Amino acid sequence: MTTTVCTGVSAAAFPSFTSYVRARGPVLLRTARSLTSNACDAEDLLQTALTKTYLAWERIEDHNALDGYVRRALVNTRTSQWRKRKIDEFVCEELPEPEAVPAPDPAERQVLRDALWRAVLRLPDRQRAMVVLRYYEDLSEAQTAEVLGVSVGTVKSAVSRALGKLREDPELGHAA
């Protein structure tokens, strides 16, 4: 892998950059390959990221973290390329319209909501409290644990058991 940078400054200006690329190039190329669909694009992507790294070489304070810097440059460059990708348009006689999906009946949705709420009310108090806090109030497991004064593990296991009971609820099986 060569390191030709079009800035008017040769790669010899930073011998540490050259040795870095020689040592880490294959690993970085594998990373670039994982971000692209083919080997040629990966090489181009890595070359662009290394060019950005070279231009910032003097500003990079921690040369022990160079792999992270280059990986971030790879991801950012790939994201920019993806955003700029050209979308081809083709002229056709008839527009391909998606088939209309009928909207769900609001009455059926309400019946399901009511059945779900009745099933939640049949849960034991502690499980019901955790399900309501997690899914109705949208609290995290840690927040739910804090509100109820229990451990996060207790929240996880109780919610898991509660969801199992809800899945087995006969009223919900018929409502879905």
mmCIF file with all atom_site columns, all heavy atoms in Angstrom, residues 1 20-21 23-35 42 45-46 49-50 53 66-72 74:
data_model
loop_
_atom_site.group_PDB
_atom_site.id
_atom_site.type_symbol
_atom_site.label_atom_id
_atom_site.label_alt_id
_atom_site.label_comp_id
_atom_site.label_asym_id
_atom_site.label_entity_id
_atom_site.label_seq_id
_atom_site.pdbx_PDB_ins_code
_atom_site.Cartn_x
_atom_site.Cartn_y
_atom_site.Cartn_z
_atom_site.occupancy
_atom_site.B_iso_or_equiv
_atom_site.pdbx_formal_charge
_atom_site.auth_seq_id
_atom_site.auth_comp_id
_atom_site.auth_asym_id
_atom_site.auth_atom_id
_atom_site.pdbx_PDB_model_num
ATOM 1   N N   . MET A 1 1  ? 0.856   -1.169 0.000  1.00 0.00 ? 1  MET A N   1
ATOM 2   C CA  . MET A 1 1  ? 0.000   0.000  0.000  1.00 0.00 ? 1  MET A CA  1
ATOM 3   C C   . MET A 1 1  ? 0.899   1.228  0.000  1.00 0.00 ? 1  MET A C   1
ATOM 4   O O   . MET A 1 1  ? 1.799   1.344  0.811  1.00 0.00 ? 1  MET A O   1
ATOM 5   C CB  . MET A 1 1  ? -0.876  -0.020 1.248  1.00 0.00 ? 1  MET A CB  1
ATOM 6   C CG  . MET A 1 1  ? -1.728  1.193  1.373  1.00 0.00 ? 1  MET A CG  1
ATOM 7   S SD  . MET A 1 1  ? -2.738  1.182  2.847  1.00 0.00 ? 1  MET A SD  1
ATOM 8   C CE  . MET A 1 1  ? -3.654  -0.299 2.585  1.00 0.00 ? 1  MET A CE  1
ATOM 9   N N   . TYR A 1 20 ? 3.477   3.887  10.563 1.00 0.00 ? 20 TYR A N   1
ATOM 10  C CA  . TYR A 1 20 ? 2.154   3.519  11.063 1.00 0.00 ? 20 TYR A CA  1
ATOM 11  C C   . TYR A 1 20 ? 1.354   2.826  9.969  1.00 0.00 ? 20 TYR A C   1
ATOM 12  O O   . TYR A 1 20 ? 0.750   1.771  10.193 1.00 0.00 ? 20 TYR A O   1
ATOM 13  C CB  . TYR A 1 20 ? 1.399   4.758  11.563 1.00 0.00 ? 20 TYR A CB  1
ATOM 14  C CG  . TYR A 1 20 ? -0.047  4.466  11.867 1.00 0.00 ? 20 TYR A CG  1
ATOM 15  C CD1 . TYR A 1 20 ? -0.406  3.745  13.008 1.00 0.00 ? 20 TYR A CD1 1
ATOM 16  C CD2 . TYR A 1 20 ? -1.056  4.877  11.002 1.00 0.00 ? 20 TYR A CD2 1
ATOM 17  C CE1 . TYR A 1 20 ? -1.744  3.454  13.271 1.00 0.00 ? 20 TYR A CE1 1
ATOM 18  C CE2 . TYR A 1 20 ? -2.389  4.589  11.263 1.00 0.00 ? 20 TYR A CE2 1
ATOM 19  C CZ  . TYR A 1 20 ? -2.726  3.880  12.396 1.00 0.00 ? 20 TYR A CZ  1
ATOM 20  O OH  . TYR A 1 20 ? -4.036  3.581  12.658 1.00 0.00 ? 20 TYR A OH  1
ATOM 21  N N   . VAL A 1 21 ? 1.347   3.402  8.766  1.00 0.00 ? 21 VAL A N   1
ATOM 22  C CA  . VAL A 1 21 ? 0.578   2.828  7.663  1.00 0.00 ? 21 VAL A CA  1
ATOM 23  C C   . VAL A 1 21 ? 1.127   1.453  7.296  1.00 0.00 ? 21 VAL A C   1
ATOM 24  O O   . VAL A 1 21 ? 0.360   0.512  7.058  1.00 0.00 ? 21 VAL A O   1
ATOM 25  C CB  . VAL A 1 21 ? 0.563   3.766  6.440  1.00 0.00 ? 21 VAL A CB  1
ATOM 26  C CG1 . VAL A 1 21 ? -0.053  3.094  5.226  1.00 0.00 ? 21 VAL A CG1 1
ATOM 27  C CG2 . VAL A 1 21 ? -0.184  5.043  6.776  1.00 0.00 ? 21 VAL A CG2 1
ATOM 28  N N   . ALA A 1 23 ? 2.637   -0.644 9.262  1.00 0.00 ? 23 ALA A N   1
ATOM 29  C CA  . ALA A 1 23 ? 2.358   -1.599 10.346 1.00 0.00 ? 23 ALA A CA  1
ATOM 30  C C   . ALA A 1 23 ? 0.870   -1.924 10.453 1.00 0.00 ? 23 ALA A C   1
ATOM 31  O O   . ALA A 1 23 ? 0.493   -3.076 10.676 1.00 0.00 ? 23 ALA A O   1
ATOM 32  C CB  . ALA A 1 23 ? 2.871   -1.044 11.671 1.00 0.00 ? 23 ALA A CB  1
ATOM 33  N N   . ARG A 1 24 ? 0.024   -0.928 10.331 1.00 0.00 ? 24 ARG A N   1
ATOM 34  C CA  . ARG A 1 24 ? -1.412  -1.117 10.591 1.00 0.00 ? 24 ARG A CA  1
ATOM 35  C C   . ARG A 1 24 ? -2.273  -1.172 9.342  1.00 0.00 ? 24 ARG A C   1
ATOM 36  O O   . ARG A 1 24 ? -3.472  -1.399 9.425  1.00 0.00 ? 24 ARG A O   1
ATOM 37  C CB  . ARG A 1 24 ? -1.915  0.014  11.501 1.00 0.00 ? 24 ARG A CB  1
ATOM 38  C CG  . ARG A 1 24 ? -1.207  0.113  12.834 1.00 0.00 ? 24 ARG A CG  1
ATOM 39  C CD  . ARG A 1 24 ? -1.372  -1.123 13.689 1.00 0.00 ? 24 ARG A CD  1
ATOM 40  N NE  . ARG A 1 24 ? -2.767  -1.287 14.042 1.00 0.00 ? 24 ARG A NE  1
ATOM 41  C CZ  . ARG A 1 24 ? -3.299  -2.427 14.448 1.00 0.00 ? 24 ARG A CZ  1
ATOM 42  N NH1 . ARG A 1 24 ? -2.564  -3.497 14.563 1.00 0.00 ? 24 ARG A NH1 1
ATOM 43  N NH2 . ARG A 1 24 ? -4.582  -2.495 14.745 1.00 0.00 ? 24 ARG A NH2 1
ATOM 44  N N   . GLY A 1 25 ? -1.684  -0.953 8.175  1.00 0.00 ? 25 GLY A N   1
ATOM 45  C CA  . GLY A 1 25 ? -2.435  -0.934 6.926  1.00 0.00 ? 25 GLY A CA  1
ATOM 46  C C   . GLY A 1 25 ? -3.323  -2.145 6.695  1.00 0.00 ? 25 GLY A C   1
ATOM 47  O O   . GLY A 1 25 ? -4.516  -1.997 6.378  1.00 0.00 ? 25 GLY A O   1
ATOM 48  N N   . PRO A 1 26 ? -2.795  -3.366 6.837  1.00 0.00 ? 26 PRO A N   1
ATOM 49  C CA  . PRO A 1 26 ? -3.644  -4.547 6.585  1.00 0.00 ? 26 PRO A CA  1
ATOM 50  C C   . PRO A 1 26 ? -4.858  -4.626 7.520  1.00 0.00 ? 26 PRO A C   1
ATOM 51  O O   . PRO A 1 26 ? -5.955  -4.971 7.095  1.00 0.00 ? 26 PRO A O   1
ATOM 52  C CB  . PRO A 1 26 ? -2.691  -5.726 6.814  1.00 0.00 ? 26 PRO A CB  1
ATOM 53  C CG  . PRO A 1 26 ? -1.329  -5.158 6.569  1.00 0.00 ? 26 PRO A CG  1
ATOM 54  C CD  . PRO A 1 26 ? -1.401  -3.742 7.039  1.00 0.00 ? 26 PRO A CD  1
ATOM 55  N N   . VAL A 1 27 ? -4.666  -4.288 8.791  1.00 0.00 ? 27 VAL A N   1
ATOM 56  C CA  . VAL A 1 27 ? -5.779  -4.319 9.743  1.00 0.00 ? 27 VAL A CA  1
ATOM 57  C C   . VAL A 1 27 ? -6.820  -3.257 9.368  1.00 0.00 ? 27 VAL A C   1
ATOM 58  O O   . VAL A 1 27 ? -8.024  -3.524 9.380  1.00 0.00 ? 27 VAL A O   1
ATOM 59  C CB  . VAL A 1 27 ? -5.260  -4.087 11.180 1.00 0.00 ? 27 VAL A CB  1
ATOM 60  C CG1 . VAL A 1 27 ? -6.407  -3.929 12.158 1.00 0.00 ? 27 VAL A CG1 1
ATOM 61  C CG2 . VAL A 1 27 ? -4.341  -5.221 11.593 1.00 0.00 ? 27 VAL A CG2 1
ATOM 62  N N   . LEU A 1 28 ? -6.341  -2.075 9.030  1.00 0.00 ? 28 LEU A N   1
ATOM 63  C CA  . LEU A 1 28 ? -7.254  -0.998 8.655  1.00 0.00 ? 28 LEU A CA  1
ATOM 64  C C   . LEU A 1 28 ? -7.977  -1.306 7.349  1.00 0.00 ? 28 LEU A C   1
ATOM 65  O O   . LEU A 1 28 ? -9.149  -0.957 7.181  1.00 0.00 ? 28 LEU A O   1
ATOM 66  C CB  . LEU A 1 28 ? -6.492  0.323  8.557  1.00 0.00 ? 28 LEU A CB  1
ATOM 67  C CG  . LEU A 1 28 ? -5.885  0.810  9.875  1.00 0.00 ? 28 LEU A CG  1
ATOM 68  C CD1 . LEU A 1 28 ? -4.955  1.984  9.631  1.00 0.00 ? 28 LEU A CD1 1
ATOM 69  C CD2 . LEU A 1 28 ? -6.972  1.170  10.864 1.00 0.00 ? 28 LEU A CD2 1
ATOM 70  N N   . LEU A 1 29 ? -7.297  -2.004 6.434  1.00 0.00 ? 29 LEU A N   1
ATOM 71  C CA  . LEU A 1 29 ? -7.931  -2.386 5.177  1.00 0.00 ? 29 LEU A CA  1
ATOM 72  C C   . LEU A 1 29 ? -9.056  -3.383 5.439  1.00 0.00 ? 29 LEU A C   1
ATOM 73  O O   . LEU A 1 29 ? -10.111 -3.311 4.811  1.00 0.00 ? 29 LEU A O   1
ATOM 74  C CB  . LEU A 1 29 ? -6.909  -2.974 4.201  1.00 0.00 ? 29 LEU A CB  1
ATOM 75  C CG  . LEU A 1 29 ? -7.449  -3.340 2.820  1.00 0.00 ? 29 LEU A CG  1
ATOM 76  C CD1 . LEU A 1 29 ? -8.079  -2.128 2.143  1.00 0.00 ? 29 LEU A CD1 1
ATOM 77  C CD2 . LEU A 1 29 ? -6.340  -3.918 1.957  1.00 0.00 ? 29 LEU A CD2 1
ATOM 78  N N   . ARG A 1 30 ? -8.869  -4.300 6.392  1.00 0.00 ? 30 ARG A N   1
ATOM 79  C CA  . ARG A 1 30 ? -9.941  -5.230 6.748  1.00 0.00 ? 30 ARG A CA  1
ATOM 80  C C   . ARG A 1 30 ? -11.140 -4.472 7.311  1.00 0.00 ? 30 ARG A C   1
ATOM 81  O O   . ARG A 1 30 ? -12.298 -4.789 7.014  1.00 0.00 ? 30 ARG A O   1
ATOM 82  C CB  . ARG A 1 30 ? -9.445  -6.269 7.757  1.00 0.00 ? 30 ARG A CB  1
ATOM 83  C CG  . ARG A 1 30 ? -8.661  -7.389 7.130  1.00 0.00 ? 30 ARG A CG  1
ATOM 84  C CD  . ARG A 1 30 ? -8.473  -8.553 8.070  1.00 0.00 ? 30 ARG A CD  1
ATOM 85  N NE  . ARG A 1 30 ? -7.774  -8.224 9.288  1.00 0.00 ? 30 ARG A NE  1
ATOM 86  C CZ  . ARG A 1 30 ? -6.460  -8.240 9.449  1.00 0.00 ? 30 ARG A CZ  1
ATOM 87  N NH1 . ARG A 1 30 ? -5.682  -8.595 8.430  1.00 0.00 ? 30 ARG A NH1 1
ATOM 88  N NH2 . ARG A 1 30 ? -5.908  -7.932 10.600 1.00 0.00 ? 30 ARG A NH2 1
ATOM 89  N N   . THR A 1 31 ? -10.857 -3.445 8.111  1.00 0.00 ? 31 THR A N   1
ATOM 90  C CA  . THR A 1 31 ? -11.951 -2.632 8.643  1.00 0.00 ? 31 THR A CA  1
ATOM 91  C C   . THR A 1 31 ? -12.686 -1.926 7.511  1.00 0.00 ? 31 THR A C   1
ATOM 92  O O   . THR A 1 31 ? -13.914 -1.915 7.465  1.00 0.00 ? 31 THR A O   1
ATOM 93  C CB  . THR A 1 31 ? -11.410 -1.598 9.653  1.00 0.00 ? 31 THR A CB  1
ATOM 94  O OG1 . THR A 1 31 ? -10.730 -2.281 10.695 1.00 0.00 ? 31 THR A OG1 1
ATOM 95  C CG2 . THR A 1 31 ? -12.525 -0.749 10.229 1.00 0.00 ? 31 THR A CG2 1
ATOM 96  N N   . ALA A 1 32 ? -11.937 -1.347 6.589  1.00 0.00 ? 32 ALA A N   1
ATOM 97  C CA  . ALA A 1 32 ? -12.545 -0.657 5.445  1.00 0.00 ? 32 ALA A CA  1
ATOM 98  C C   . ALA A 1 32 ? -13.344 -1.647 4.608  1.00 0.00 ? 32 ALA A C   1
ATOM 99  O O   . ALA A 1 32 ? -14.430 -1.314 4.123  1.00 0.00 ? 32 ALA A O   1
ATOM 100 C CB  . ALA A 1 32 ? -11.463 0.010  4.596  1.00 0.00 ? 32 ALA A CB  1
ATOM 101 N N   . ARG A 1 33 ? -12.830 -2.856 4.458  1.00 0.00 ? 33 ARG A N   1
ATOM 102 C CA  . ARG A 1 33 ? -13.521 -3.877 3.665  1.00 0.00 ? 33 ARG A CA  1
ATOM 103 C C   . ARG A 1 33 ? -14.871 -4.233 4.284  1.00 0.00 ? 33 ARG A C   1
ATOM 104 O O   . ARG A 1 33 ? -15.833 -4.499 3.588  1.00 0.00 ? 33 ARG A O   1
ATOM 105 C CB  . ARG A 1 33 ? -12.628 -5.128 3.548  1.00 0.00 ? 33 ARG A CB  1
ATOM 106 C CG  . ARG A 1 33 ? -13.207 -6.221 2.698  1.00 0.00 ? 33 ARG A CG  1
ATOM 107 C CD  . ARG A 1 33 ? -13.323 -5.764 1.242  1.00 0.00 ? 33 ARG A CD  1
ATOM 108 N NE  . ARG A 1 33 ? -13.837 -6.839 0.410  1.00 0.00 ? 33 ARG A NE  1
ATOM 109 C CZ  . ARG A 1 33 ? -15.104 -6.948 0.026  1.00 0.00 ? 33 ARG A CZ  1
ATOM 110 N NH1 . ARG A 1 33 ? -15.985 -6.046 0.401  1.00 0.00 ? 33 ARG A NH1 1
ATOM 111 N NH2 . ARG A 1 33 ? -15.501 -7.924 -0.732 1.00 0.00 ? 33 ARG A NH2 1
ATOM 112 N N   . SER A 1 34 ? -14.920 -4.201 5.608  1.00 0.00 ? 34 SER A N   1
ATOM 113 C CA  . SER A 1 34 ? -16.181 -4.526 6.269  1.00 0.00 ? 34 SER A CA  1
ATOM 114 C C   . SER A 1 34 ? -17.225 -3.423 6.082  1.00 0.00 ? 34 SER A C   1
ATOM 115 O O   . SER A 1 34 ? -18.403 -3.649 6.307  1.00 0.00 ? 34 SER A O   1
ATOM 116 C CB  . SER A 1 34 ? -15.959 -4.793 7.762  1.00 0.00 ? 34 SER A CB  1
ATOM 117 O OG  . SER A 1 34 ? -15.633 -3.605 8.430  1.00 0.00 ? 34 SER A OG  1
ATOM 118 N N   . LEU A 1 35 ? -16.796 -2.246 5.680  1.00 0.00 ? 35 LEU A N   1
ATOM 119 C CA  . LEU A 1 35 ? -17.713 -1.116 5.493  1.00 0.00 ? 35 LEU A CA  1
ATOM 120 C C   . LEU A 1 35 ? -18.177 -0.950 4.045  1.00 0.00 ? 35 LEU A C   1
ATOM 121 O O   . LEU A 1 35 ? -19.059 -0.129 3.783  1.00 0.00 ? 35 LEU A O   1
ATOM 122 C CB  . LEU A 1 35 ? -17.040 0.187  5.949  1.00 0.00 ? 35 LEU A CB  1
ATOM 123 C CG  . LEU A 1 35 ? -16.684 0.287  7.430  1.00 0.00 ? 35 LEU A CG  1
ATOM 124 C CD1 . LEU A 1 35 ? -15.835 1.524  7.679  1.00 0.00 ? 35 LEU A CD1 1
ATOM 125 C CD2 . LEU A 1 35 ? -17.948 0.326  8.262  1.00 0.00 ? 35 LEU A CD2 1
ATOM 126 N N   . ALA A 1 42 ? -13.021 -0.474 -0.796 1.00 0.00 ? 42 ALA A N   1
ATOM 127 C CA  . ALA A 1 42 ? -12.365 -0.484 0.517  1.00 0.00 ? 42 ALA A CA  1
ATOM 128 C C   . ALA A 1 42 ? -11.008 0.199  0.443  1.00 0.00 ? 42 ALA A C   1
ATOM 129 O O   . ALA A 1 42 ? -10.641 0.973  1.332  1.00 0.00 ? 42 ALA A O   1
ATOM 130 C CB  . ALA A 1 42 ? -12.211 -1.916 1.025  1.00 0.00 ? 42 ALA A CB  1
ATOM 131 N N   . LEU A 1 45 ? -11.614 3.885  0.152  1.00 0.00 ? 45 LEU A N   1
ATOM 132 C CA  . LEU A 1 45 ? -12.071 4.401  1.435  1.00 0.00 ? 45 LEU A CA  1
ATOM 133 C C   . LEU A 1 45 ? -10.906 4.547  2.406  1.00 0.00 ? 45 LEU A C   1
ATOM 134 O O   . LEU A 1 45 ? -10.758 5.577  3.069  1.00 0.00 ? 45 LEU A O   1
ATOM 135 C CB  . LEU A 1 45 ? -13.138 3.469  2.016  1.00 0.00 ? 45 LEU A CB  1
ATOM 136 C CG  . LEU A 1 45 ? -13.674 3.820  3.407  1.00 0.00 ? 45 LEU A CG  1
ATOM 137 C CD1 . LEU A 1 45 ? -14.365 5.182  3.386  1.00 0.00 ? 45 LEU A CD1 1
ATOM 138 C CD2 . LEU A 1 45 ? -14.638 2.737  3.879  1.00 0.00 ? 45 LEU A CD2 1
ATOM 139 N N   . LEU A 1 46 ? -10.061 3.527  2.481  1.00 0.00 ? 46 LEU A N   1
ATOM 140 C CA  . LEU A 1 46 ? -8.915  3.594  3.382  1.00 0.00 ? 46 LEU A CA  1
ATOM 141 C C   . LEU A 1 46 ? -7.961  4.705  2.960  1.00 0.00 ? 46 LEU A C   1
ATOM 142 O O   . LEU A 1 46 ? -7.451  5.450  3.804  1.00 0.00 ? 46 LEU A O   1
ATOM 143 C CB  . LEU A 1 46 ? -8.178  2.253  3.429  1.00 0.00 ? 46 LEU A CB  1
ATOM 144 C CG  . LEU A 1 46 ? -6.948  2.232  4.328  1.00 0.00 ? 46 LEU A CG  1
ATOM 145 C CD1 . LEU A 1 46 ? -7.301  2.611  5.767  1.00 0.00 ? 46 LEU A CD1 1
ATOM 146 C CD2 . LEU A 1 46 ? -6.278  0.867  4.274  1.00 0.00 ? 46 LEU A CD2 1
ATOM 147 N N   . ALA A 1 49 ? -9.377  7.964  4.142  1.00 0.00 ? 49 ALA A N   1
ATOM 148 C CA  . ALA A 1 49 ? -9.249  8.102  5.597  1.00 0.00 ? 49 ALA A CA  1
ATOM 149 C C   . ALA A 1 49 ? -7.801  8.360  5.994  1.00 0.00 ? 49 ALA A C   1
ATOM 150 O O   . ALA A 1 49 ? -7.534  9.172  6.891  1.00 0.00 ? 49 ALA A O   1
ATOM 151 C CB  . ALA A 1 49 ? -9.773  6.853  6.295  1.00 0.00 ? 49 ALA A CB  1
ATOM 152 N N   . LEU A 1 50 ? -6.877  7.689  5.335  1.00 0.00 ? 50 LEU A N   1
ATOM 153 C CA  . LEU A 1 50 ? -5.457  7.917  5.646  1.00 0.00 ? 50 LEU A CA  1
ATOM 154 C C   . LEU A 1 50 ? -5.027  9.317  5.215  1.00 0.00 ? 50 LEU A C   1
ATOM 155 O O   . LEU A 1 50 ? -4.190  9.945  5.877  1.00 0.00 ? 50 LEU A O   1
ATOM 156 C CB  . LEU A 1 50 ? -4.586  6.854  4.986  1.00 0.00 ? 50 LEU A CB  1
ATOM 157 C CG  . LEU A 1 50 ? -4.679  5.467  5.623  1.00 0.00 ? 50 LEU A CG  1
ATOM 158 C CD1 . LEU A 1 50 ? -3.884  4.456  4.800  1.00 0.00 ? 50 LEU A CD1 1
ATOM 159 C CD2 . LEU A 1 50 ? -4.189  5.491  7.067  1.00 0.00 ? 50 LEU A CD2 1
ATOM 160 N N   . THR A 1 53 ? -6.153  11.525 7.904  1.00 0.00 ? 53 THR A N   1
ATOM 161 C CA  . THR A 1 53 ? -5.285  11.313 9.072  1.00 0.00 ? 53 THR A CA  1
ATOM 162 C C   . THR A 1 53 ? -3.944  12.017 8.863  1.00 0.00 ? 53 THR A C   1
ATOM 163 O O   . THR A 1 53 ? -3.424  12.668 9.767  1.00 0.00 ? 53 THR A O   1
ATOM 164 C CB  . THR A 1 53 ? -5.064  9.813  9.312  1.00 0.00 ? 53 THR A CB  1
ATOM 165 O OG1 . THR A 1 53 ? -6.328  9.184  9.458  1.00 0.00 ? 53 THR A OG1 1
ATOM 166 C CG2 . THR A 1 53 ? -4.213  9.578  10.548 1.00 0.00 ? 53 THR A CG2 1
ATOM 167 N N   . LEU A 1 66 ? -4.320  6.033  17.425 1.00 0.00 ? 66 LEU A N   1
ATOM 168 C CA  . LEU A 1 66 ? -4.449  6.289  15.990 1.00 0.00 ? 66 LEU A CA  1
ATOM 169 C C   . LEU A 1 66 ? -5.452  5.366  15.313 1.00 0.00 ? 66 LEU A C   1
ATOM 170 O O   . LEU A 1 66 ? -6.194  5.793  14.424 1.00 0.00 ? 66 LEU A O   1
ATOM 171 C CB  . LEU A 1 66 ? -3.089  6.151  15.301 1.00 0.00 ? 66 LEU A CB  1
ATOM 172 C CG  . LEU A 1 66 ? -2.157  7.336  15.515 1.00 0.00 ? 66 LEU A CG  1
ATOM 173 C CD1 . LEU A 1 66 ? -0.770  7.009  15.004 1.00 0.00 ? 66 LEU A CD1 1
ATOM 174 C CD2 . LEU A 1 66 ? -2.704  8.562  14.818 1.00 0.00 ? 66 LEU A CD2 1
ATOM 175 N N   . ASP A 1 67 ? -5.486  4.096  15.720 1.00 0.00 ? 67 ASP A N   1
ATOM 176 C CA  . ASP A 1 67 ? -6.439  3.176  15.090 1.00 0.00 ? 67 ASP A CA  1
ATOM 177 C C   . ASP A 1 67 ? -7.863  3.687  15.260 1.00 0.00 ? 67 ASP A C   1
ATOM 178 O O   . ASP A 1 67 ? -8.659  3.640  14.324 1.00 0.00 ? 67 ASP A O   1
ATOM 179 C CB  . ASP A 1 67 ? -6.313  1.772  15.689 1.00 0.00 ? 67 ASP A CB  1
ATOM 180 C CG  . ASP A 1 67 ? -5.130  1.004  15.131 1.00 0.00 ? 67 ASP A CG  1
ATOM 181 O OD1 . ASP A 1 67 ? -4.409  1.543  14.267 1.00 0.00 ? 67 ASP A OD1 1
ATOM 182 O OD2 . ASP A 1 67 ? -4.915  -0.142 15.572 1.00 0.00 ? 67 ASP A OD2 1
ATOM 183 N N   . GLY A 1 68 ? -8.193  4.160  16.437 1.00 0.00 ? 68 GLY A N   1
ATOM 184 C CA  . GLY A 1 68 ? -9.524  4.705  16.673 1.00 0.00 ? 68 GLY A CA  1
ATOM 185 C C   . GLY A 1 68 ? -9.788  5.921  15.798 1.00 0.00 ? 68 GLY A C   1
ATOM 186 O O   . GLY A 1 68 ? -10.896 6.093  15.272 1.00 0.00 ? 68 GLY A O   1
ATOM 187 N N   . TYR A 1 69 ? -8.780  6.774  15.656 1.00 0.00 ? 69 TYR A N   1
ATOM 188 C CA  . TYR A 1 69 ? -8.927  7.970  14.821 1.00 0.00 ? 69 TYR A CA  1
ATOM 189 C C   . TYR A 1 69 ? -9.191  7.560  13.374 1.00 0.00 ? 69 TYR A C   1
ATOM 190 O O   . TYR A 1 69 ? -10.095 8.082  12.719 1.00 0.00 ? 69 TYR A O   1
ATOM 191 C CB  . TYR A 1 69 ? -7.662  8.824  14.910 1.00 0.00 ? 69 TYR A CB  1
ATOM 192 C CG  . TYR A 1 69 ? -7.759  10.122 14.151 1.00 0.00 ? 69 TYR A CG  1
ATOM 193 C CD1 . TYR A 1 69 ? -8.202  11.274 14.783 1.00 0.00 ? 69 TYR A CD1 1
ATOM 194 C CD2 . TYR A 1 69 ? -7.442  10.200 12.799 1.00 0.00 ? 69 TYR A CD2 1
ATOM 195 C CE1 . TYR A 1 69 ? -8.316  12.480 14.091 1.00 0.00 ? 69 TYR A CE1 1
ATOM 196 C CE2 . TYR A 1 69 ? -7.560  11.381 12.094 1.00 0.00 ? 69 TYR A CE2 1
ATOM 197 C CZ  . TYR A 1 69 ? -7.989  12.518 12.745 1.00 0.00 ? 69 TYR A CZ  1
ATOM 198 O OH  . TYR A 1 69 ? -8.107  13.691 12.053 1.00 0.00 ? 69 TYR A OH  1
ATOM 199 N N   . VAL A 1 70 ? -8.407  6.613  12.870 1.00 0.00 ? 70 VAL A N   1
ATOM 200 C CA  . VAL A 1 70 ? -8.566  6.193  11.473 1.00 0.00 ? 70 VAL A CA  1
ATOM 201 C C   . VAL A 1 70 ? -9.895  5.470  11.289 1.00 0.00 ? 70 VAL A C   1
ATOM 202 O O   . VAL A 1 70 ? -10.599 5.678  10.295 1.00 0.00 ? 70 VAL A O   1
ATOM 203 C CB  . VAL A 1 70 ? -7.384  5.312  11.017 1.00 0.00 ? 70 VAL A CB  1
ATOM 204 C CG1 . VAL A 1 70 ? -7.607  4.792  9.607  1.00 0.00 ? 70 VAL A CG1 1
ATOM 205 C CG2 . VAL A 1 70 ? -6.084  6.091  11.085 1.00 0.00 ? 70 VAL A CG2 1
ATOM 206 N N   . ARG A 1 71 ? -10.278 4.621  12.251 1.00 0.00 ? 71 ARG A N   1
ATOM 207 C CA  . ARG A 1 71 ? -11.576 3.934  12.140 1.00 0.00 ? 71 ARG A CA  1
ATOM 208 C C   . ARG A 1 71 ? -12.717 4.944  12.102 1.00 0.00 ? 71 ARG A C   1
ATOM 209 O O   . ARG A 1 71 ? -13.657 4.809  11.331 1.00 0.00 ? 71 ARG A O   1
ATOM 210 C CB  . ARG A 1 71 ? -11.764 2.947  13.294 1.00 0.00 ? 71 ARG A CB  1
ATOM 211 C CG  . ARG A 1 71 ? -11.064 1.623  13.066 1.00 0.00 ? 71 ARG A CG  1
ATOM 212 C CD  . ARG A 1 71 ? -11.518 0.569  14.056 1.00 0.00 ? 71 ARG A CD  1
ATOM 213 N NE  . ARG A 1 71 ? -11.275 0.912  15.433 1.00 0.00 ? 71 ARG A NE  1
ATOM 214 C CZ  . ARG A 1 71 ? -10.172 0.645  16.106 1.00 0.00 ? 71 ARG A CZ  1
ATOM 215 N NH1 . ARG A 1 71 ? -9.194  -0.005 15.525 1.00 0.00 ? 71 ARG A NH1 1
ATOM 216 N NH2 . ARG A 1 71 ? -10.048 1.000  17.368 1.00 0.00 ? 71 ARG A NH2 1
ATOM 217 N N   . ARG A 1 72 ? -12.646 5.977  12.927 1.00 0.00 ? 72 ARG A N   1
ATOM 218 C CA  . ARG A 1 72 ? -13.683 7.010  12.925 1.00 0.00 ? 72 ARG A CA  1
ATOM 219 C C   . ARG A 1 72 ? -13.686 7.714  11.575 1.00 0.00 ? 72 ARG A C   1
ATOM 220 O O   . ARG A 1 72 ? -14.739 8.004  11.013 1.00 0.00 ? 72 ARG A O   1
ATOM 221 C CB  . ARG A 1 72 ? -13.428 7.997  14.073 1.00 0.00 ? 72 ARG A CB  1
ATOM 222 C CG  . ARG A 1 72 ? -14.343 9.195  14.130 1.00 0.00 ? 72 ARG A CG  1
ATOM 223 C CD  . ARG A 1 72 ? -15.822 8.944  14.087 1.00 0.00 ? 72 ARG A CD  1
ATOM 224 N NE  . ARG A 1 72 ? -16.297 7.927  14.994 1.00 0.00 ? 72 ARG A NE  1
ATOM 225 C CZ  . ARG A 1 72 ? -17.457 7.278  14.844 1.00 0.00 ? 72 ARG A CZ  1
ATOM 226 N NH1 . ARG A 1 72 ? -18.262 7.571  13.841 1.00 0.00 ? 72 ARG A NH1 1
ATOM 227 N NH2 . ARG A 1 72 ? -17.825 6.356  15.683 1.00 0.00 ? 72 ARG A NH2 1
ATOM 228 N N   . LEU A 1 74 ? -12.777 6.389  8.752  1.00 0.00 ? 74 LEU A N   1
ATOM 229 C CA  . LEU A 1 74 ? -13.359 5.431  7.810  1.00 0.00 ? 74 LEU A CA  1
ATOM 230 C C   . LEU A 1 74 ? -14.883 5.472  7.867  1.00 0.00 ? 74 LEU A C   1
ATOM 231 O O   . LEU A 1 74 ? -15.562 5.560  6.839  1.00 0.00 ? 74 LEU A O   1
ATOM 232 C CB  . LEU A 1 74 ? -12.885 4.008  8.125  1.00 0.00 ? 74 LEU A CB  1
ATOM 233 C CG  . LEU A 1 74 ? -11.457 3.651  7.736  1.00 0.00 ? 74 LEU A CG  1
ATOM 234 C CD1 . LEU A 1 74 ? -11.032 2.341  8.401  1.00 0.00 ? 74 LEU A CD1 1
ATOM 235 C CD2 . LEU A 1 74 ? -11.310 3.560  6.234  1.00 0.00 ? 74 LEU A CD2 1
#
